[in-house]
Amino acid sequence: MGHGARDAEFTAFMAGAQRSLGRTAWLLTGEREAAADLLQATLVKTYVAWPRIHPDGAMAYARRVMVNDNVDRYRARPATVPVAEPPERPVPDGSDSLAEREGIGRLLASLPVQQRRVVVLRYLHDLSEKAVAAELRLPLGTVKSSAARGLAALRAAIEHDEAMRSGR
Amino acid sequence: MSVDFEDRLRAELDADQVTIPLDEDAVLARGRASVRNRRVGWALAGVAALAVAVMAVPGLVSRSTTGVIAPVASPTAGVGSGATVPLPKEILGSTTWRLSAETGEWVGTAPEITLVADGDEIVGNLGCGTYTGQIPLRGADWTFEASVAASHSCPYQTNARDTRYLETLNGVTSYEFASDPDRLSLEGSRGTLVFEPISADGVTWQVIRLDGQDVEGSGLTLVVDGGDAHGSTVCVDFVANVARDGTKWSVTNRQNVRGTEVPCPLETSNRMNRYFDLLDQVTRATLTPENLILTGSDGSLEFGRKG
């Protein structure tokens, strides 16, 4: 496949995948610029592998590359130039959603990376525990315990947040 | 954990509609560059011949000898000797190499470029991002695949140096290893890359990031000395064994050697226990001149030099 054909196909893929992969990157890193770096690095790897994975497996491949990457590396990378503006979000409509109050991504970012990966795959991408284990190449028991710990930590954070808001 | 909370979490995740910017042109440009970088041939005949020499004369790679120069061969040359061990892996060993000069020019400015053997691969840090490649087996090619940071956040000079480095690496056809002090030179039509070793040994490393969070003055330290390690926390000191094979590390037999005489504060104790949890499950190390990052299945520890 020549570069022209590959580029055309891959550009179409990027257009369709950007939203889902971008949100996954955001939830894994909790930082906008880190998420942009992770998204771009993931897509570069996917581009390289394109002849092998195209067309049906591309999204799953990209997601697998992303969740298995060392996401903390992007958060710690010293060469990053800080970006002043916050993530582009819809204007809150006044509801009481945690995502609008503080950002579930920032809460997720406080979890250990493995718990973060498991929670994102399990509850954002709705994969079964078995599928998550296969995607992350982890024992099923590890996935279950990571999910349980991650959920417990998130629940505690949410309850703390709500207690603070109610003045208790 | 209740189903209600799981459903709520799904709804929260679904509601978090953040938009992450993407430079599609940069992805395509870097993707093309990575594809080009994979089409690289190394001079296997010369490498294999040198492998025989080094394997037959162990003293050649000791610290007390100098100079092993491989004959240069074309990238398309066949395998000329009966070598069975991929020599570059032997030369690279478990050392992390730092790029110190490129075609006679010193390039040791931060962030530094590194190279280290990782099983049958080499991995390393670029100024912006990382790269991986295959150590050539007989008759195979070296291939490199860069995983680089987004161009919009990489300073121009650093990005240009990364690109030049990968291009030069792809043009290498021979190498020279000298010892005392150790120097590894990779030479080719596009220039010469000179590496010097950096070591995690003998340095007092202090945790500066734990679970991705900055921790100033953590008091959590680690010193590696060959196969042994020791360290301290605010509440207890410890000793352990360390096994290393390139970037693959494991810490075993950790034992406390001193208990605190006063009650250990809860927060300090929790941090110490988390440190130990992560230390015990370390599988991988990334070393730069200033930092040591230990990664395991449940998180990572980032150390900086103490003092």
Side-chain angles (χ1 to χ4, degrees):
Chain A
M1 180 185 295
H3 273 315
R6 179 191 285 210
D7 286 4
E9 289 181 359
F10 197 75
T11 300
F13 167 72
M14 282 194 288
Q18 179 182 357
R19 184 169 174 271
S20 173
L21 289 176
R23 190 162 52 152
T24 302
W26 161 249
L27 292 173
L28 286 170
T29 62
E31 295 174 7
R32 182 175 185 251
E33 190 178 356
D37 288 353
L38 177 59
L39 174 62
Q40 179 156 325
T42 297
L43 288 171
V44 169
K45 289 180 179 176
T46 306
Y47 178 94
V48 172
W50 187 251
R52 289 187 283 121
I53 59 174
H54 173 70
D56 297 331
M59 190 65 191
Y61 178 88
R63 188 182 63 214
R64 195 160 53 246
V65 166
M66 180 174 282
V67 297
N68 282 292
D69 204 333
N70 178 11
V71 296
D72 282 338
R73 183 183 69 209
Y74 296 92
R75 301 164 67 186
R77 190 170 47 76
T80 298
V81 176
V83 175
E85 69 269 27
E88 297 161 11
R89 300 168 168 281
V91 176
D93 60 4
S95 73
D96 203 29
S97 160
L98 174 69
E100 289 163 357
R101 290 198 308 272
E102 182 176 356
I104 191 76
R106 296 200 186 282
L107 281 183
L108 268 173
S110 68
L111 298 182
V113 65
Q114 183 167 293
Q115 292 177 21
R116 214 180 312 151
R117 289 172 171 140
V118 169
V119 168
V120 168
L121 288 176
R122 185 83 178 88
Y123 298 105
L124 174 67
H125 292 283
D126 266 336
L127 297 188
S128 68
E129 290 174 333
K130 194 173 177 182
V132 174
E135 194 112 319
L136 297 176
R137 297 185 181 91
L138 290 174
L140 184 57
T142 303
V143 169
K144 289 181 177 179
S145 62
S146 294
R149 288 177 186 165
L151 285 181
L154 286 174
R155 175 177 237 174
I158 291 170
E159 288 175 351
H160 175 76
D161 177 70
E162 290 173 344
M164 295 294 288
R165 286 169 57 81
S166 65
R168 283 179 281 155
Chain B
M1 192 61 59
S2 71
V3 173
D4 285 349
F5 181 74
E6 293 187 24
D7 288 342
R8 180 181 175 187
L9 178 60
R10 285 191 176 91
E12 298 281 7
L13 291 171
D14 199 46
D16 202 24
Q17 296 292 337
V18 63
T19 300
I20 302 300
L22 173 65
D23 185 342
E24 294 185 351
D25 291 337
V27 170
L28 294 176
R30 290 182 177 275
R32 288 189 212 108
S34 292
V35 170
R36 279 197 302 273
N37 290 340
R38 292 168 68 88
R39 299 169 182 157
V40 177
W42 269 57
L44 272 298
V47 169
L50 180 56
V52 172
V54 172
M55 296 304 290
V57 189
L60 284 176
V61 292
S62 74
R63 286 184 165 275
S64 61
T65 59
T66 58
V68 178
I69 301 177
V72 177
S74 76
T76 55
V79 177
S81 79
T84 57
V85 179
L87 177 63
K89 187 175 176 181
E90 301 298 315
I91 288 289
L92 292 170
S94 297
T95 303
T96 296
W97 297 90
R98 147 172 75 185
L99 182 66
S100 61
E102 180 181 330
T103 319
E105 295 181 15
W106 286 95
V107 292
T109 54
E112 301 198 57
I113 292 173
T114 62
L115 180 151
V116 60
D118 180 18
D120 289 333
E121 292 186 329
I122 60 167
V123 299
N125 292 327
L126 298 168
C128 293
T130 62
Y131 67 98
T132 62
Q134 298 292 318
I135 287 181
L137 301 175
R138 290 182 59 200
D141 290 343
W142 284 68
T143 57
F144 300 95
E145 179 176 344
S147 170
V148 293
S151 58
H152 70 268
S153 60
C154 185
Y156 173 79
Q157 295 288 352
T158 306
N159 186 54
R161 189 185 59 163
D162 288 349
T163 301
R164 191 174 67 243
Y165 169 74
L166 289 173
E167 288 176 352
T168 307
L169 195 59
N170 287 342
V172 167
T173 54
S174 67
Y175 64 85
E176 175 180 337
F177 175 79
S179 57
D180 199 21
D182 289 352
R183 289 289 183 274
L184 175 66
S185 300
L186 302 179
E187 302 170 359
S189 59
R190 297 172 184 169
T192 300
L193 303 169
V194 181
F195 297 84
E196 59 188 21
I198 54 176
S199 172
D201 290 43
V203 176
T204 298
W205 298 101
Q206 178 167 247
V207 173
I208 57 175
R209 279 175 76 87
L210 182 70
D211 285 331
Q213 304 293 320
D214 292 337
V215 283
E216 289 185 21
S218 68
L220 306 171
T221 68
L222 177 70
V223 178
V224 181
D225 181 14
D228 298 322
H230 64 272
S232 61
T233 69
V234 173
C235 300
V236 71
D237 293 344
F238 67 92
V239 295
N241 297 125
V242 177
R244 290 180 282 180
D245 178 15
T247 61
K248 294 181 175 62
W249 283 39
S250 62
V251 178
T252 56
N253 301 320
R254 183 181 50 75
Q255 296 179 358
N256 295 344
V257 294
R258 177 179 66 83
T260 178
E261 295 181 358
V262 295
C264 193
L266 179 61
E267 185 178 348
T268 305
S269 177
N270 287 341
R271 180 180 287 180
M272 177 186 73
N273 289 331
R274 182 60 181 156
Y275 175 50
F276 286 159
D277 282 348
L278 292 171
L279 207 55
D280 289 344
Q281 44 181 272
V282 163
T283 57
R284 191 176 191 83
T286 303
L287 179 65
T288 71
E290 298 303 323
N291 296 103
L292 171 67
I293 301 172
L294 300 181
T295 306
S297 59
D298 196 29
S300 63
L301 293 163
E302 184 171 343
F303 298 83
R305 290 175 183 266
K306 185 180 182 185

